[in-house]
Tab-separated table of all heavy atoms in Angstrom:
chain	number	residue	atom	x	y	z
O	53	GLY	N	1.364	27.996	-5.828
O	53	GLY	CA	0.733	28.481	-4.610
O	53	GLY	C	-0.721	28.070	-4.510
O	53	GLY	O	-1.552	28.825	-3.978
O	54	PHE	N	-1.036	26.888	-4.991
O	54	PHE	CA	-2.406	26.374	-4.964
O	54	PHE	C	-2.489	25.123	-4.104
O	54	PHE	O	-1.489	24.595	-3.620
O	54	PHE	CB	-2.875	26.006	-6.389
O	54	PHE	CG	-2.984	27.158	-7.347
O	54	PHE	CD1	-2.823	26.941	-8.716
O	54	PHE	CD2	-3.247	28.450	-6.919
O	54	PHE	CE1	-2.926	27.982	-9.619
O	54	PHE	CE2	-3.356	29.509	-7.812
O	54	PHE	CZ	-3.190	29.267	-9.172
O	55	VAL	N	-3.689	24.627	-3.923
O	55	VAL	CA	-3.965	23.277	-3.456
O	55	VAL	C	-4.871	22.637	-4.508
O	55	VAL	O	-5.548	23.363	-5.252
O	55	VAL	CB	-4.652	23.268	-2.068
O	55	VAL	CG1	-3.716	23.739	-0.990
O	55	VAL	CG2	-5.950	24.081	-2.067
O	56	PRO	N	-4.852	21.316	-4.590
O	56	PRO	CA	-4.142	20.359	-3.739
O	56	PRO	C	-2.750	20.039	-4.268
O	56	PRO	O	-2.420	20.319	-5.417
O	56	PRO	CB	-5.029	19.122	-3.840
O	56	PRO	CG	-5.500	19.151	-5.270
O	56	PRO	CD	-5.739	20.621	-5.563
O	57	SER	N	-1.972	19.412	-3.378
O	57	SER	CA	-0.756	18.708	-3.763
O	57	SER	C	-0.885	17.305	-3.188
O	57	SER	O	-1.436	17.124	-2.094
O	57	SER	CB	0.495	19.381	-3.200
O	57	SER	OG	0.607	20.713	-3.663
O	58	LEU	N	-0.392	16.330	-3.917
O	58	LEU	CA	-0.480	14.940	-3.464
O	58	LEU	C	0.912	14.340	-3.418
O	58	LEU	O	1.625	14.315	-4.429
O	58	LEU	CB	-1.365	14.121	-4.407
O	58	LEU	CG	-1.661	12.691	-3.923
O	58	LEU	CD1	-2.683	12.732	-2.793
O	58	LEU	CD2	-2.156	11.806	-5.057
O	59	ASP	N	1.287	13.874	-2.229
O	59	ASP	CA	2.553	13.177	-2.031
O	59	ASP	C	2.268	11.682	-2.088
O	59	ASP	O	1.606	11.132	-1.209
O	59	ASP	CB	3.149	13.568	-0.674
O	59	ASP	CG	4.524	12.950	-0.432
O	59	ASP	OD1	4.848	11.943	-1.079
O	59	ASP	OD2	5.262	13.467	0.421
O	60	LEU	N	2.753	11.047	-3.148
O	60	LEU	CA	2.546	9.616	-3.337
O	60	LEU	C	3.903	8.925	-3.259
O	60	LEU	O	4.689	8.959	-4.202
O	60	LEU	CB	1.887	9.357	-4.695
O	60	LEU	CG	1.527	7.921	-5.061
O	60	LEU	CD1	0.554	7.338	-4.041
O	60	LEU	CD2	0.922	7.864	-6.454
O	61	ASP	N	4.191	8.354	-2.090
O	61	ASP	CA	5.484	7.695	-1.860
O	61	ASP	C	6.657	8.620	-2.151
O	61	ASP	O	7.672	8.222	-2.737
O	61	ASP	CB	5.608	6.430	-2.711
O	61	ASP	CG	4.681	5.325	-2.240
O	61	ASP	OD1	4.365	5.283	-1.034
O	61	ASP	OD2	4.259	4.512	-3.086
O	62	GLY	N	6.510	9.896	-1.762
O	62	GLY	CA	7.593	10.854	-1.950
O	62	GLY	C	7.586	11.560	-3.286
O	62	GLY	O	8.410	12.447	-3.521
O	63	ASP	N	6.672	11.181	-4.154
O	63	ASP	CA	6.538	11.824	-5.463
O	63	ASP	C	5.425	12.861	-5.357
O	63	ASP	O	4.253	12.507	-5.200
O	63	ASP	CB	6.196	10.771	-6.523
O	63	ASP	CG	6.120	11.348	-7.923
O	63	ASP	OD1	6.560	12.500	-8.125
O	63	ASP	OD2	5.613	10.639	-8.823
O	64	MET	N	5.795	14.150	-5.434
O	64	MET	CA	4.824	15.222	-5.242
O	64	MET	C	4.175	15.591	-6.569
O	64	MET	O	4.862	15.823	-7.569
O	64	MET	CB	5.496	16.447	-4.634
O	64	MET	CG	4.525	17.513	-4.157
O	64	MET	SD	3.561	16.972	-2.715
O	64	MET	CE	4.859	16.915	-1.454
Side-chain angles (χ1 to χ4, degrees):
F54 295 152
V55 292
S57 300
L58 187 75
D59 184 339
L60 183 59
D61 290 331
D63 183 13
M64 191 68 69

